Structure formats: C-alpha cells, structure tokens
Amino acid sequence: MNLAKISANGQITVPVEIRRQLGLKSGDKILFLQNQNGEIVVSNASAAAIRKAQAAFTGAAEAIGVSNEDDIQTLVDKARYGKEG
C-alpha cells in the first residue's frame, strides 16, 4: 500500500513505486478516472492518450490499402507531388 499526503494547496507527491509503475517522470500529467464501481483510478495521461489514439486508428491502414512501407511511400509521394512515384 502507498499513501500520499495532500498539502494545503491540494498538491500530492506520488510515491516513487507508483511513479515507476505508471512510467511517470517530472512534468508528466496524471489522469484521475472513476470506474464503474465508483472507485478513483490514477493513470499516466500520456499513455492513456496514446491508447485512445491507437484504438481510434485500429484498422485504418487496412481500410485505405496500406500494408507495407512501399504503400506508405506511395501515399507520401502522391501527397507531395500529386502523383505516384
């Protein structure tokens, strides 16, 4: 169990073990979420944002026919030069 004391300004120091488990470093932001049981869960906000973006883009490459680096280069060339290759 890890405890943290709240200062008069509402600040807390996240225990080192928790910082390590969440992959937090100085300047990172933490996210407080309430789960379905009403419990508050703490998460690394950056990691949560990345997971949300990954979920949003799942299947996007397949949907536009991208399956390898050559397909990506073709898209880049088309965007840059208005043509393929």
Side-chain angles (χ1 to χ4, degrees), residues 26-82:
S26 180
D28 282 352
K29 295 183 180 195
I30 56 175
L31 182 63
F32 296 90
L33 300 167
Q34 189 170 17
N35 67 18
Q36 294 174 344
N37 297 329
E39 301 165 329
I40 303 298
V41 179
V42 180
S43 177
N44 180 328
S46 297
I50 290 170
R51 284 191 300 272
K52 186 174 180 180
Q54 286 174 326
F57 286 110
T58 297
E62 293 84 4
I64 62 170
V66 173
S67 61
N68 59 44
E69 290 183 27
D70 291 335
D71 292 341
I72 294 170
Q73 188 60 55
T74 299
L75 287 174
V76 170
D77 291 344
K78 190 173 182 179
R80 281 187 183 156
Y81 311 114

